[in-house]
Amino acid sequence: DTYDGEATFGEIDAIIWVIDAQDEYLDAIDALNDTILTLQTRFPTINVEVFVHKVDGLSDDYKSDTFRDIIQRVQDELSDAGYNNAPVSFYQTSIFDDSIFEAFSKVIQKLIPQLPTLETLLNNLCSKCQMEKAYLFDMQSKIYIATDTSPTDISSYEICSGYIDMVVDISEIFGWDRPADSGEMVDQGIQEGESLVTMGRRGNSYLYLREINKYLALICLMGEESSADKKVLIDYNVSRFKEALLKVFPG
């Protein structure tokens, strides 16, 4: 009787609903549907993000069948209630791979109003430097807040994620405190870090990381046509990208 919907959902942009794929999930789906229908009547703009979790313990066939069954049960209930376009999305997640970070990245991107601008900047950067893929990562959470519009695959994310772990580990040992805005030089050293490494992936490929500030980093995947001998061109275009990005997120 004391439930206050406005206090609970009034300032919320997204809800993440976790369903255990290895457990009986019919009651969870019923509760989810009740929640979605309640939101649709009063807070229709809230995104409902459904994580079908612990899929690592299921066989490939059973995993797909379970995922489809959950989606179908939710969509059928919403359709019967007259809500065919409710903002509900579904993801298969596990803590034993990077799927949970990939899912959170997709959720966060929906909440960033500047996303189209970021995608355009990353598309231009990839085009100018002949990059295969570019991500803008939050270094601490390993969530990417934007990427270019080329297809995203989990293997590319895993490569970037592993590199972030390495950079963060090294920074904890050899790094220095940097303010959020890295546009100025300080006595402790330069304000930005960068790295270019060679990796064995589909031949001779390269991974490039450049810090934007103490929180964000640009990570790019490149093939042989963007190898180390073009690093000056890449550095120049990444610097221009950084300048534009700091205008999108000033301060």
Side-chain angles (χ1 to χ4, degrees):
D1 294 336
T2 61
Y3 171 73
D4 187 343
E6 186 65 36
T8 304
F9 298 112
E11 297 182 358
I12 300 300
D13 294 313
I15 292 175
I16 296 175
W17 190 284
V18 183
I19 293 179
D20 187 342
Q22 298 184 31
D23 198 1
E24 293 292 335
Y25 52 75
L26 296 183
D27 289 343
I29 291 177
D30 289 341
L32 169 61
N33 286 330
D34 288 344
T35 302
I36 296 173
L37 293 176
T38 299
L39 293 176
Q40 285 297 293
T41 59
R42 296 186 58 189
F43 308 96
T45 61
I46 292 180
N47 296 324
V48 179
E49 314 289 349
V50 182
F51 286 12
V52 182
H53 198 48
K54 297 185 182 179
V55 294
D56 51 275
L58 307 178
S59 65
D60 290 341
D61 291 340
Y62 191 57
K63 180 193 306 182
S64 300
D65 291 342
T66 299
F67 191 58
R68 284 194 297 266
D69 183 53
I70 291 173
I71 294 175
Q72 192 64 51
R73 289 177 182 275
V74 173
Q75 291 180 341
D76 286 348
E77 180 74 18
L78 294 178
S79 179
D80 292 343
Y83 297 107
N84 293 313
N85 298 309
V88 183
S89 300
F90 300 85
Y91 310 86
Q92 298 183 69
T93 60
S94 169
I95 62 171
F96 296 105
D97 57 29
D98 288 308
S99 59
I100 188 71
F101 296 102
E102 177 80 12
F104 270 112
S105 296
K106 300 293 186 183
V107 173
I108 292 298
Q109 287 169 40
K110 294 180 183 179
L111 309 181
I112 300 177
Q114 302 93 337
L115 183 62
T117 300
L118 299 179
E119 290 179 341
T120 298
L121 291 173
L122 291 166
N123 283 339
N124 290 337
L125 179 63
C126 289
S127 176
K128 296 292 185 183
C129 299
Q130 298 179 302
M131 294 172 174
E132 296 178 358
K133 195 69 183 167
Y135 296 90
L136 191 60
F137 269 92
D138 176 86
M139 290 289 285
Q140 296 301 318
S141 68
K142 292 197 296 184
I143 291 174
Y144 63 91
I145 67 169
T147 183
D148 64 284
T149 54
S150 65
T152 302
D153 62 272
I154 191 65
S155 61
S156 296
Y157 176 88
E158 289 172 349
I159 291 171
C160 295
S161 175
Y163 190 42
I164 289 175
D165 285 338
M166 181 188 70
V167 171
V168 170
D169 289 345
I170 293 175
S171 297
E172 290 178 352
I173 301 173
F174 300 106
W176 53 85
D177 291 333
R178 298 183 293 277
D181 181 6
S182 60
E184 299 179 358
M185 303 294 287
V186 295
D187 293 339
Q188 291 92 334
I190 61 171
Q191 284 300 104
E192 59 190 11
E194 63 177 318
S195 180
L196 182 70
V197 298
T198 304
M199 299 185 62
R201 183 182 71 88
R202 288 181 296 177
N204 189 24
S205 297
Y206 294 85
L207 192 65
Y208 179 98
L209 181 144
R210 179 75 173 270
E211 286 185 331
I212 303 300
N213 56 30
K214 68 182 299 184
Y215 306 109
L216 295 178
L218 173 72
I219 303 182
C220 306
L221 293 165
M222 301 169 288
E224 290 187 59
E225 65 275 9
S226 297
S227 56
D229 59 348
K230 295 184 178 179
K231 186 171 182 296
V232 173
L233 174 64
I234 295 171
D235 285 342
Y236 174 80
N237 282 286
V238 169
S239 295
R240 302 287 77 77
F241 169 84
K242 177 180 175 180
E243 291 174 1
L245 188 64
L246 292 177
K247 292 179 181 179
V248 177
F249 296 115

